[in-house]
Amino acid sequence: SCKALLGFAALTAGHIPIILAERTWLILQGLRKADQFEKSRNAPELTFCGRVAASHANCIENLILFASVVLVNQLWRGPNIDDLATYYLYARIFQAGTHVISVNETAVTVRFIFFVTGFGLLAAMGWKTYAYL
C-alpha cells in the first residue's frame, strides 16, 4: 500500500510539468506574458491545460483521503490492503487519463465509473483498517 501511495503522489505531481511546459511554451513564443495566466484551478476544462489542472486538483483532493487510510493502516500495523491500494491506484490513473483526454459525455461517464470504483476501494480499505483498530 505504501508503493501505491507513492504512485498516487507521483501521478498527482506528474500533472505539474505538463502545465509548466504549456505555460513556458506560450511565454517563449511571445503569446502570453508570465503574469497573464489565470490560476490553473480556474482554467476552463475545454482546454487541454484546463483539463490537466482539473485532474490535478481532483488528485490532490483524493490523495489526502488515500494517504490518511494508508498511513493509519501502516502506523497501526493494520491488515494487508496492498491489493486494494494497487487497484485504487489503477482506478485513479485511468480516471486522470480520461479526465485529461476529453470532457464529452462518454468520457465523463467513463471517468465517473473509475471514480466510483476508486471510492469503493478506498471505502473497503478504510473499513478494513477501522475494523482492525
Side-chain angles (χ1 to χ4, degrees):
S1 55
C2 287
K3 286 182 181 179
L5 178 56
L6 290 174
F8 191 21
L11 172 65
T12 303
H15 289 76
I16 297 168
I18 297 169
I19 296 167
L20 290 174
E22 183 190 55
R23 289 182 177 195
T24 301
W25 176 256
L26 291 172
I27 292 168
L28 292 176
Q29 294 298 311
L31 300 173
R32 293 256 185 99
K33 293 181 181 178
D35 63 349
Q36 291 180 321
F37 293 97
E38 58 189 328
K39 292 181 179 179
S40 294
R41 65 179 170 265
N42 296 336
E45 284 193 56
L46 297 176
T47 67
F48 176 73
C49 198
R51 291 191 302 274
V52 171
S55 175
H56 179 249
N58 186 267
C59 284
I60 289 172
E61 293 163 357
N62 287 277
L63 179 60
I64 296 165
L65 301 173
F66 183 60
S68 297
V69 171
V70 169
L71 293 175
V72 166
N73 181 278
Q74 292 296 306
L75 287 172
W76 273 264
R77 292 180 165 64
N80 187 327
I81 58 170
D82 290 348
D83 289 343
L84 292 171
T86 300
Y87 295 137
Y88 177 83
L89 174 60
Y90 294 154
R92 294 301 316 178
I93 290 169
F94 287 117
Q95 180 185 357
T98 305
H99 200 157
V100 168
I101 291 169
S102 178
V103 290
N104 69 34
E105 182 180 356
T106 302
V108 172
T109 301
V110 169
R111 189 173 87 205
F112 179 72
I113 290 167
F114 288 129
F115 173 78
V116 170
T117 301
F119 188 79
L121 290 163
L122 182 62
M125 288 182 283
W127 180 255
K128 279 184 80 166
T129 299
Y130 178 78
Y132 179 82
L133 301 176

